[in-house]
Amino acid sequence: MKPAARKAGLLAGIAGLVAAGAAVGLATERYAIGRIRGGPDPEADEPFGRLPADRQRTVTTDDGLPLAVEEVGPRDAPLTVVFVHGYCLAMGSWHYQRIGLTDMTRPRLRMVFYDHRSHGRSARAPTETATIDQLGDDLFRVLTDVVPTGPVVLVGHSMGGMTVMALADRHPELFGSRVVGVALLSTSTGQLADVTLGLPSIAAKLRAPVLPLALRLMRSRAALIERSRRIGSDIAWLLTRRYSFGSTDVSPALVEYVGQMIAATPVEVVADFFPALNAHDKLAALGRLREVETLVAVGDKDLLTPVDHSRRMAEALPHAELLVLDGAGHLAMLERPEIVTLRLRAFLHRAARAAYGGSASRGAR
């Protein structure tokens, strides 16, 4: 047998063992899923994805794609907050912040939420435009159309935080003049290809050689994989809980909702954006944020953008606030909504004070 064939066979054998071990582990938990999903859940009636908007509109990107946008709060509010969601999610991932910040009066807020291209209710984009820089250009278009004047705060989660960095890279003139604050939640400046995803070391090492094949398979077998996502819903539920949250006692209804957002993202879109995440490198763009109020937040159980990535960002921004949430995973704003929203309120107070010299934000609550 040729060396290349032996290597391929060895990789396949190891991958098979890892997959078998994972299947056994999932099967051990799976028997209880029915009871977990059907048991008492204080958030069972929470209107995930159904919050009302004061205004809905469409923003057309530079390449002609319609993006879904929702606004909450008065048009003439002294401070606008634009929320930028993560990979395979939608604007509904800001559910608790949308509720928890509506009663701020000093400063009054206008909150803007939108879905990235190929996500949520926004239009499907060509594969070649699935880049972080393109998402930064889309954010610039949202700001131009929806928030043409006045101070703005940007709040980005995961790929949304990377989008904010891309905007800073392409339009540094906005930061410190128009953009007065940036919150980066569970995100990274780069080196995501080195993240182990919580896998054993032997499985993590298989990621590089297996990934290109997996992405090609996702695109060529999209219809079959979509059916498998529905058939294997229990396994999908477990994986959603593992990679989205840091604890196992999270609301089943919340896990279901996150799973629905992920499942609503077509397989081809998942494959389209994954290389962009792996190639993301915006460490240099962080320097643009030194002139604005900055909050960096992450869960210490985050398997997708580990806490070390946020620590490095905070080190590069010596005046930034670093918030590490004990026991929280990648979706900390959904898993620990009270503390995240509380710290966002204090952060928005500081941003408004920086924008207005204290007059507009005095007494904020």
Side-chain angles (χ1 to χ4, degrees), residues 180-297:
V180 297
V182 170
L184 301 171
L185 280 63
S186 305
T187 191
S188 174
T189 59
Q191 298 182 331
L192 289 174
D194 298 330
V195 175
T196 67
L197 304 177
L199 297 171
S201 58
I202 190 170
K205 289 177 181 177
L206 288 173
R207 182 180 174 186
V210 169
L211 182 59
L213 175 62
L215 293 176
R216 286 197 298 272
L217 182 66
M218 288 174 72
R219 291 190 178 97
S220 64
R221 299 287 187 271
L224 177 61
I225 295 172
E226 291 288 6
R227 287 197 296 272
S228 299
R229 289 167 99 184
R230 293 190 291 270
I231 293 169
S233 58
D234 283 351
I235 292 177
W237 191 90
L238 284 168
L239 290 173
T240 298
R241 188 180 68 178
R242 172 167 172 73
Y243 284 103
S244 300
F245 305 100
S247 60
T248 58
D249 61 352
V250 65
S251 159
L254 180 55
V255 177
E256 293 277 5
Y257 177 59
V258 172
Q260 289 167 11
M261 283 192 286
I262 295 171
T265 308
V267 166
E268 297 98 331
V269 173
V270 177
D272 286 350
F273 276 93
F274 196 87
L277 296 176
N278 262 11
H280 171 68
D281 182 2
K282 285 289 186 283
L283 181 60
L286 276 186
R288 315 296 188 192
L289 307 185
R290 290 196 180 99
E291 302 303 316
V292 304
E293 290 289 335
T294 308
L295 169 67
V296 179

Side-chain angles (χ1 to χ4, degrees), residues 6 21 31 37 45 47-49 53 66 80 125 140 159 162 165 185-186 195 219 223 243 260 284 289 303 363:
R6 282 200 302 270
Y31 80 97
R37 284 171 146 173
D45 297 324
F48 294 119
T80 299
F140 181 71
M159 189 172 75
M162 300 174 197
M165 294 179 218
L185 280 63
S186 305
V195 175
R219 291 190 178 97
Y243 284 103
Q260 289 167 11
L289 307 185
L303 297 177

Side-chain angles (χ1 to χ4, degrees), residues 35-263:
R35 282 183 294 168
I36 293 172
R37 284 171 146 173
D41 182 357
E43 295 178 276
D45 297 324
E46 189 70 26
F48 294 119
R50 304 192 305 275
L51 293 177
D54 291 332
R55 295 169 296 282
Q56 294 187 355
R57 60 186 298 173
T58 298
V59 168
T60 302
T61 65
D62 292 339
D63 56 346
L65 285 174
L67 303 180
V69 180
E70 293 187 358
E71 296 180 58
V72 176
R75 287 189 177 93
D76 62 349
L79 185 65
T80 299
V81 188
V82 179
F83 292 84
V84 193
H85 71 77
Y87 177 53
C88 297
L89 298 173
M91 68 176 80
S93 58
W94 300 107
H95 177 85
Y96 290 111
Q97 287 67 50
R98 186 162 169 164
I99 294 172
L101 295 173
T102 53
D103 65 342
M104 283 189 68
T105 56
R106 290 179 291 180
R108 290 179 301 143
L109 299 180
R110 173 171 59 148
M111 293 185 285
V112 175
F113 306 86
Y114 75 99
D115 288 332
H116 286 301
R117 59 177 54 217
S118 299
H119 290 71
R121 301 196 315 273
S122 291
R124 182 75 172 270
T127 296
E128 62 271 17
T129 70
T131 68
I132 303 300
D133 283 337
Q134 179 62 64
L135 296 183
D137 290 344
D138 292 349
L139 174 56
F140 181 71
R141 177 51 56 192
V142 170
L143 292 177
T144 301
D145 286 9
V146 183
V147 199
T149 61
V152 181
V153 169
L154 304 176
V155 182
H157 169 255
S158 191
M159 189 172 75
M162 300 174 197
T163 300
V164 172
M165 294 179 218
L167 177 70
D169 198 25
R170 288 178 177 265
H171 297 280
E173 73 282 357
L174 294 177
F175 290 76
S177 55
R178 291 288 320 286
V179 178
V180 297
V182 170
L184 301 171
L185 280 63
S186 305
T187 191
S188 174
T189 59
Q191 298 182 331
L192 289 174
D194 298 330
V195 175
T196 67
L197 304 177
L199 297 171
S201 58
I202 190 170
K205 289 177 181 177
L206 288 173
R207 182 180 174 186
V210 169
L211 182 59
L213 175 62
L215 293 176
R216 286 197 298 272
L217 182 66
M218 288 174 72
R219 291 190 178 97
S220 64
R221 299 287 187 271
L224 177 61
I225 295 172
E226 291 288 6
R227 287 197 296 272
S228 299
R229 289 167 99 184
R230 293 190 291 270
I231 293 169
S233 58
D234 283 351
I235 292 177
W237 191 90
L238 284 168
L239 290 173
T240 298
R241 188 180 68 178
R242 172 167 172 73
Y243 284 103
S244 300
F245 305 100
S247 60
T248 58
D249 61 352
V250 65
S251 159
L254 180 55
V255 177
E256 293 277 5
Y257 177 59
V258 172
Q260 289 167 11
M261 283 192 286
I262 295 171

